[in-house]
Amino acid sequence: MNTGCTVVTMVREPVDTILNFVSWYLNLGAEKIVICFDDPEDPALGVLDAMNLERVETHACTPEFWRSLRISPKHVMKKQKAVFNWAYRNAKTPWMLALDGDEYLYLGGRSLDDFIATVDDDIPAVRFLPVEPVGTQDTAQWFRSGAHRRKLTPIYGDDIKFFGARAGLLGHSEGKSMTRTGLDVYIRLHWAKTADGTPLKNHTVGPDQGACLMHYFNNGYDEWRRKLDWRKSAWGFAKAVSEQLDSYDERGLQGLYDRIHTIDADQLAALKALNAVHNINIDLAATRSRVLGC
């Protein structure tokens, strides 16, 4: 069994988020972490370089970098795909995992190599379904997963429209994929495609299999607000929903954030009944302190 995985991301995130990402995947045993900084003057780039971490490789996405990939740096998702495919072609490990900077694999206490050792030899890719942290009055940590929109409407009421068609998630519902290297494939944001455009066969896992993608879509109001305009365009909201978002003042946006990112005891019980919420207790700060000492 060939183990070993390269983790690659393109980031424009706060320093703390990037350090959490790096420490998490170092702790999982990633053989290489490739981080491409969309802002070539990102202060986190200097912070990481100063740490001189053996398994972390950084790249500033300068105009020269984008020219080397033959891409115009105008569209975030096109840049991400270019970075992922460049990293895939250059990966020295048997597997590559392409992620956003706010996404963390949960493997139930296993390392990446431990998990890979369970994957059958004829499986070219593994797709990890996403879960999102949700605030509750409970002391436990809860992450919601996807469920049928019809079943969720009684739980979220009129606010269900802000979830779009994303099966009860505010972020993507497709998940992210870890792909064997050396294949004739094109790496997209959520999975790879073969030369004829067919999605590459993948083995899909989620919370019920003890492995999932923790997508920290809820990372505090300030961060949510900073990304709102981009997310509106990326989600493709219905016109009426976009107009409603545009009509909110700051207080209205804060209220919306609180409603869609926190749930009360009744909502928690209803999501439990649908198996659409999961207790995953992790501590990103403790992992970062242990691994990086900061």
Side-chain angles (χ1 to χ4, degrees):
M1 172 63 65
N2 289 326
T3 58
C5 182
T6 294
V7 175
V8 58
T9 187
M10 187 188 81
V11 294
R12 188 181 282 263
E13 299 282 359
V15 173
D16 283 345
T17 298
I18 294 169
L19 292 177
N20 285 343
F21 181 93
V22 168
S23 62
W24 186 260
Y25 287 102
L26 286 175
N27 189 59
L28 282 185
E31 193 167 318
K32 179 71 71 175
I33 301 172
V34 179
I35 302 184
C36 295
F37 287 86
D38 192 28
D39 176 3
E41 298 182 0
D42 195 316
L45 176 59
V47 171
L48 276 183
D49 285 348
M51 290 182 172
N52 196 29
L53 300 168
E54 183 179 356
R55 289 186 281 149
V56 178
E57 178 183 310
T58 61
H59 297 271
C61 295
T62 61
E64 292 75 20
F65 177 82
W66 294 124
R67 281 197 292 270
S68 74
L69 299 189
R70 299 181 180 179
I71 185 171
S72 171
K74 294 182 179 180
H75 192 284
V76 172
M77 292 181 181
K78 287 183 179 179
K79 290 192 292 184
Q80 284 180 302
K81 285 184 279 189
V83 162
F84 293 163
N85 283 278
W86 164 77
Y88 184 78
R89 292 192 301 271
N90 289 284
K92 308 300 183 190
T93 55
W95 293 85
M96 192 191 83
L97 174 64
L99 299 168
D100 289 341
D102 58 357
E103 296 174 333
Y104 305 81
L105 274 194
Y106 174 73
L107 298 176
R110 294 169 289 181
S111 69
L112 278 164
D113 282 353
D114 289 339
F115 178 83
I116 290 169
T118 70
V119 180
D120 292 341
D121 290 342
D122 63 343
I123 299 296
V126 179
R127 180 161 59 100
F128 299 91
L129 295 178
V131 295
E132 298 171 350
V134 60
T136 70
Q137 296 177 336
D138 200 325
T139 56
Q141 290 180 296
W142 293 98
F143 290 75
R144 61 184 162 204
S145 58
H148 196 286
R149 182 185 178 95
R150 175 176 53 82
K151 296 180 179 180
L152 294 171
T153 299
I155 298 174
Y156 295 113
D158 189 52
D159 286 332
I160 192 67
K161 63 178 175 287
F162 293 105
F163 290 79
R166 298 181 185 277
L169 295 171
L170 291 163
H172 61 82
S173 59
E174 297 88 348
K176 295 294 176 70
S177 296
M178 180 173 66
T179 308
R180 289 188 191 272
T181 57
L183 304 177
D184 183 17
V185 295
Y186 179 77
I187 306 297
R188 296 182 63 84
L189 299 184
H190 302 287
W191 47 68
K193 287 192 173 185
T194 60
D196 64 2
T198 304
L200 184 66
K201 173 186 175 184
N202 66 71
H203 174 59
T204 302
V205 297
D208 292 340
Q209 292 76 42
C212 56
L213 183 77
M214 300 180 295
H215 184 192
Y216 272 76
F217 197 86
N218 174 17
N219 201 23
Y221 176 74
D222 290 342
E223 189 64 12
W224 177 83
R225 183 68 180 88
R226 183 178 71 85
K227 295 182 177 180
L228 183 59
D229 288 340
W230 177 82
R231 282 172 170 163
K232 282 193 297 184
S233 62
W235 289 354
F237 276 130
K239 182 179 179 181
V241 175
S242 291
E243 289 175 350
Q244 185 171 348
L245 284 168
D246 290 339
S247 73
Y248 283 142
D249 59 14
E250 208 61 35
R251 184 176 178 180
L253 287 173
Q254 177 73 67
L256 172 64
Y257 173 85
D258 291 341
R259 294 197 308 275
I260 62 179
H261 285 289
T262 60
I263 54 176
D264 61 26
D266 290 339
Q267 290 173 310
L268 178 60
L271 289 171
K272 285 182 180 178
L274 295 176
N275 192 32
V277 68
H278 312 272
N279 177 214
I280 303 175
N281 289 314
I282 65 163
D283 192 333
L284 294 176
T287 300
R288 172 176 153 184
S289 177
R290 185 175 69 256
V291 175
L292 298 179
C294 63

